[in-house]
Amino acid sequence: MKKTWKQHLQQSICTLDEFQRRFPQAPIDATACQTFPMRITPYYLGLIRTFDFSDPIYAQCVPQSAELKTPHWLTEDPLAEHAQQPVPGLIQRYPDRVLLITTGQCAVRCRHCMRKRLTKREMNAADHRVQERWIAYLHAHPEIRDVLVSGGDPLLLPEKNLFALLCAIRTVPSVEIIRIATRIPVTLPMRITKTLAQRLAAFSPLYINTHFNHPVEVTPEAAHALKLLADAGLPLGNQTVLLKGINDAPETIETLCRLLLKHRVRPYYLFQCDLVEGTEHFRTPLETGLGIMSYLRGRLSGLGIPHFALDTPENGKIELVPNAILSRTSKSTLLRTSNNKTIHYPEPAP
């Protein structure tokens, strides 16, 4: 009999001793594990093909010594989220939207997580008093039209708590859109059921943003979870983090984007890795991402091409694009095409 999602959570590997007992020859760093604790579901563990850091799944979930190399430009809170909370757990960086940190718990503790400060302590779910303050803030600020429910992973909340929060958000007349950020379709896809998907769809317009980083993660189980969500009428988007040695080859991102589109998921963002402690070994030069975007332009339809972006604490997301404009005059503009040719585009006559 297949394990339930709760059994997968209960049987997750969370300690160094447990990991070494099961995989005595596999590399893991004890100090990194103590500094940034791990959690790996049996399902996600089953996606590992080679038990070393050359494997894209292994490298995303197993502590390694490189995490202890922390240059001064890496911090615990790279996006200054703590300073952008008018009430605890509610982050507002843009005038028209807020993010709610509902819990610090995740099915898998990703080694590149930008909120390690929460997940390494497994911050408890926000209680009803905190949530009441969120709703009061939303009522008091009608300019807020978009609420992102995040964490940790909100789909690990008890359903009673999750739907109570969604109901409360829907009492705010000015809120037009609700989004849920979750990695559950990737790390614990059996959590997604037809009933859950249909209950979520009742809060439409509600969008699901998930987080596939590598084609290996798009398994039959993950595809089934995505189908349940899409069949319920929920728009699906994906946010990928660019990670050195994992998905920084253009062909890898192209394959991932094609798979996502096949399963009705819009590739939404390709993020430059945040400046969070313990992730220097994952970071790529900006030129790598720009090269990937140039590569995708001639090979994928616009529907399958994500926005390449860098997130910043004070100015939000900055979209980075390859420079197509080479020179300009009043009469014409010299452009570089996706296949690296140059063309002159005539400007309108005065």
Side-chain angles (χ1 to χ4, degrees):
M1 188 173 68
K2 291 184 178 180
K3 297 176 183 176
T4 67
W5 70 271
K6 290 185 178 179
Q7 288 173 324
H8 273 269
L9 275 183
Q10 292 166 353
Q11 296 171 20
S12 295
I13 294 179
C14 301
T15 67
L16 178 68
D17 289 345
E18 188 177 3
F19 185 88
Q20 291 181 322
R21 185 168 60 250
R22 292 185 58 181
F23 311 104
Q25 305 303 319
I28 185 172
D29 189 272
T31 306
C33 187
Q34 184 177 21
T35 306
F36 304 114
M38 68 174 166
R39 173 186 290 277
I40 313 169
T41 60
Y43 166 79
Y44 200 61
L45 189 72
L47 305 188
I48 296 173
R49 296 169 294 182
T50 306
F51 274 75
D52 58 47
F53 293 110
S54 68
D55 184 275
I57 306 301
Y58 194 94
Q60 287 187 75
C61 62
V62 177
Q64 59 178 296
S65 59
E67 295 176 34
L68 303 173
K69 299 173 182 177
T70 302
H72 67 86
W73 52 81
L74 302 186
T75 64
E76 184 180 70
D77 184 12
L79 299 182
E81 290 183 332
H82 184 73
Q84 297 169 353
Q85 298 184 38
V87 297
L90 183 150
I91 298 167
Q92 184 169 14
R93 198 185 314 163
Y94 303 97
D96 69 325
R97 75 209 81 150
V98 297
L99 180 149
L100 306 180
I101 298 181
T102 58
T103 178
Q105 295 183 331
C106 287
V108 170
R109 287 172 170 151
C110 302
R111 311 314 298 175
H112 61 276
C113 180
M114 53 83 68
R115 294 199 184 106
K116 283 184 175 183
R117 68 189 187 279
L118 304 181
T119 58
K120 72 181 179 182
R121 291 186 283 270
E122 284 226 326
M123 181 195 85
N124 292 329
D127 62 32
H128 71 279
R129 290 168 297 182
V130 171
Q131 294 186 17
E132 286 175 355
R133 293 185 65 183
W134 294 347
I135 303 306
Y137 185 85
L138 294 176
H139 276 289
H141 293 270
E143 70 275 13
I144 297 170
R145 301 181 176 213
D146 183 341
V147 175
L148 175 59
V149 180
S150 188
D153 202 308
L155 293 190
L156 286 186
L157 291 171
E159 288 191 17
K160 177 182 177 182
N161 297 3
L162 173 62
F163 290 113
L165 174 60
L166 295 177
C167 284
I169 295 171
R170 276 287 171 236
T171 68
V172 183
S174 54
V175 173
E176 298 170 349
I177 293 171
I178 300 175
R179 291 179 288 156
I180 291 179
T182 177
R183 208 170 188 221
I184 287 298
V186 182
T187 59
L188 195 67
M190 58 288 303
R191 170 69 182 99
I192 307 297
T193 63
K194 184 176 181 179
T195 300
L196 177 67
Q198 290 175 339
R199 292 190 69 187
L200 289 171
F203 295 93
S204 180
L206 184 147
Y207 292 73
I208 302 290
N209 286 337
T210 189
H211 180 177
F212 287 85
N213 283 333
H214 195 277
V216 172
E217 295 172 331
V218 189
T219 63
E221 294 87 350
H224 180 65
L226 296 173
K227 182 180 186 303
L228 291 175
L229 293 168
D231 284 353
L234 293 162
L236 306 178
N238 186 73
Q239 301 182 156
T240 294
V241 178
L242 189 57
L243 301 169
K244 184 178 179 181
I246 292 175
N247 60 9
D248 56 338
E251 297 83 359
T252 302
I253 296 296
E254 179 189 5
T255 301
L256 176 61
C257 290
R258 289 188 184 280
L259 282 171
L260 290 170
L261 280 183
K262 179 181 176 181
H263 295 294
R264 292 180 281 175
V265 183
R266 169 77 162 88
Y268 181 32
Y269 275 119
L270 174 64
F271 276 121
Q272 180 73 5
C273 191
D274 286 321
L275 298 174
V276 64
E277 57 184 359
T279 64
E280 185 68 6
H281 59 297
F282 285 135
R283 297 208 308 123
T284 58
L286 290 178
E287 192 60 39
T288 298
L290 291 170
I292 290 172
M293 296 306 295
S294 293
Y295 176 90
L296 295 178
R297 280 293 166 196
R299 292 170 171 82
L300 280 175
S301 71
L303 187 65
I305 298 177
H307 301 281
F308 178 42
L310 170 68
D311 214 350
T312 65
E314 296 174 354
N315 302 294
K317 297 175 183 66
I318 301 172
E319 185 173 0
L320 306 173
V321 295
N323 189 8
I325 299 176
L326 301 178
S327 64
R328 299 178 68 184
T329 69
S330 60
K331 294 183 178 180
S332 70
T333 298
L334 182 64
L335 302 171
R336 178 187 288 116
T337 66
S338 61
N339 56 355
N340 211 31
K341 295 180 179 179
T342 56
I343 63 169
H344 283 277
Y345 175 79
E347 296 290 349

